[in-house]
Amino acid sequence: MDIINEVGATAFFVSSIRAMEKEQEHKLFHDPYAAWFVNEEIEKKVQEQIEVFPPAKELVRYRVCAMSEIIERGIADGVKQIVSLGAGFDMRAHIYQTEGVRFCDVDQPAVLRFKNKVLEAGGVTPCAGIECNYLEVDLPGELGRAGFDLEAPILLIWEGNTMYLPLDLIHDFLSRLRAQVPNMTLAFDYLSEKVINRTSGDERISEFTDLFESNFGVKWVTGFDDLSVLTEKHGLEVVKSESLLEVGERRAPESAAAIEEFMDVTADLLKLYSYSVFRAA
Ligand SMILES: C[S@@+](CC[C@H](N)C(=O)[O-])C[C@H]1O[C@@H](n2cnc3c(N)ncnc32)[C@H](O)[C@@H]1O
């Protein structure tokens, strides 16, 4: 983990939770590669996090499930270009490999190089990748150079990223995407500002957030309670929106019911962690 900076190290957290899916009786997804990106140090941190707030693990499971559904739907609808922004150790390019569909991972150089090394050691050819800080480069230009047709539909999966990014940089990034990728569908998850501000009403959520920030040396800086700050400014419309707990209710009802029982009644988890899918208005 030392070779990757703090934000990059959070990719191990998600991989570790994805790797646990094989132990679930009712599996929400299948990722045979996740365990390749797990080590003892990270497992210990993940266990600590789950002990403080067990629903966190379930919410990440629902998130993986929701983003995978969006990819499945996109491919079924004929999308031929899929980009994972801040891809970390997401292996959907392999899991959903489909003739005629081009995938690309975008992440920091250290993350993608580490990922590629692990994959190559396992005899797996990595998918195309753009090594960069996507907030600092001309990402549409990079995608064009990587062979993407910017005029054709592109599905961008931006999973587990927005909370780490200052709002003004999110706006700049979305402006660049909107200006150059007219046919984009963008899906991302986001926390409520109440989680960021520690005002959720459930102390265990604040404890989880504090521990996560100290365990991984990161800060969650941006949350959204009102998406109109994005849709109005960038000419986007929300084509789907769901809280992650709702994903759990429809895909893993028993686990979602257990979360609802566990939660402090004053904390409305339905509004604390969600995802949305956006298109040009
Ligand atoms: C929490 S991980 C999520 C990884 C993956 N999307 C998943 O859900 O498994 C966040 C990832 O986003 C990447 N990331 C965050 N900000 C980035 C930026 N500005 N440029 C490139 N990568 C970024 C980090 O390096 C890290 O791999």
Side-chain angles (χ1 to χ4, degrees):
M1 242 168 79
D2 299 346
I3 48 111
I4 294 178
N5 66 16
E6 287 81 0
V7 175
T10 61
F12 288 99
F13 175 80
V14 197
S15 241
S16 181
I17 292 182
R18 279 198 294 257
M20 292 175 199
E21 195 64 15
K22 61 180 180 311
E23 291 143 27
Q24 294 285 339
E25 197 182 315
H26 174 65
K27 294 180 186 43
L28 292 181
F29 50 85
H30 175 62
D31 181 347
Y33 308 98
W36 296 12
F37 302 98
V38 179
N39 57 42
E40 268 179 37
E41 182 190 351
I42 195 73
E43 276 178 334
K44 192 166 155 275
K45 287 185 178 184
V46 172
Q47 282 310 336
E48 270 174 34
Q49 292 292 149
I50 294 172
E51 271 163 36
V52 170
F53 186 62
K57 176 186 168 193
E58 303 307 309
L59 293 170
V60 172
R61 294 178 67 218
Y62 305 160
R63 178 179 104 192
V64 174
C65 186
M67 293 292 160
S68 295
E69 286 176 349
I70 294 165
I71 291 184
E72 286 164 15
R73 168 57 56 90
I75 293 174
D77 288 349
V79 173
K80 303 283 185 227
Q81 309 186 97
I82 301 178
V83 178
S84 182
L85 286 173
F89 308 130
D90 168 13
M91 288 298 291
R92 295 191 184 93
H94 287 77
I95 295 166
Y96 291 109
Q97 202 168 17
T98 304
E99 183 141 357
V101 179
R102 184 191 284 268
F103 285 85
C104 182
D105 283 353
V106 177
D107 208 305
Q108 306 181 80
V111 175
L112 288 188
R113 285 178 200 164
F114 176 82
K115 182 178 187 176
N116 291 353
K117 210 168 83 182
V118 170
L119 291 178
E120 279 156 9
V124 171
T125 307
C127 77
I130 297 176
E131 296 178 359
C132 66
N133 177 338
Y134 57 67
L135 299 175
E136 290 177 354
V137 300
D138 167 21
L139 186 67
E142 294 292 334
L143 286 169
R145 280 184 281 285
F148 276 70
D149 176 357
L150 300 186
E151 299 298 320
I154 300 184
L155 171 60
L156 298 148
I157 298 291
W158 198 16
E159 181 181 6
N161 275 233
T162 56
M163 53 292 280
Y164 300 102
L165 310 175
L167 183 58
D168 56 331
L169 299 185
I170 292 180
H171 280 309
D172 291 350
F173 179 58
L174 289 180
S175 297
R176 286 197 297 279
L177 285 179
R178 275 291 283 127
Q180 297 176 75
V181 192
N183 242 321
M184 74 170 177
T185 300
L186 173 68
F188 64 83
D189 53 293
Y190 49 93
L191 293 163
S192 158
E193 289 170 50
K194 292 194 175 108
V195 176
I196 308 292
N197 301 335
R198 289 19 176 201
T199 54
S200 67
D202 189 327
E203 273 312 305
R204 293 164 302 184
I205 295 176
S206 302
E207 211 185 311
F208 175 91
T209 306
D210 290 341
L211 183 65
F212 190 89
E213 292 187 347
S214 76
N215 253 338
F216 292 92
V218 289
K219 275 232 158 286
W220 284 348
V221 292
T222 298
F224 295 100
D225 288 328
D226 177 3
L227 292 174
S228 68
V229 296
L230 296 176
T231 52
E232 283 170 16
K233 192 174 170 83
H234 300 287
L236 293 168
E237 71 172 323
V238 175
V239 293
K240 186 169 175 73
S241 219
E242 222 180 358
S243 89
L244 289 173
L245 189 57
E246 285 169 326
V247 177
E249 283 167 354
R250 63 181 174 77
R251 294 293 304 265
E254 278 174 28
S255 115
I259 295 185
E260 281 153 17
E261 195 153 312
F262 176 86
M263 287 298 294
D264 194 316
V265 283
T266 57
D268 185 356
L269 190 63
L270 274 180
K271 300 199 181 97
L272 295 179
Y273 197 15
S274 310
Y275 77 92
S276 294
V277 183
F278 302 83
R279 283 207 196 114

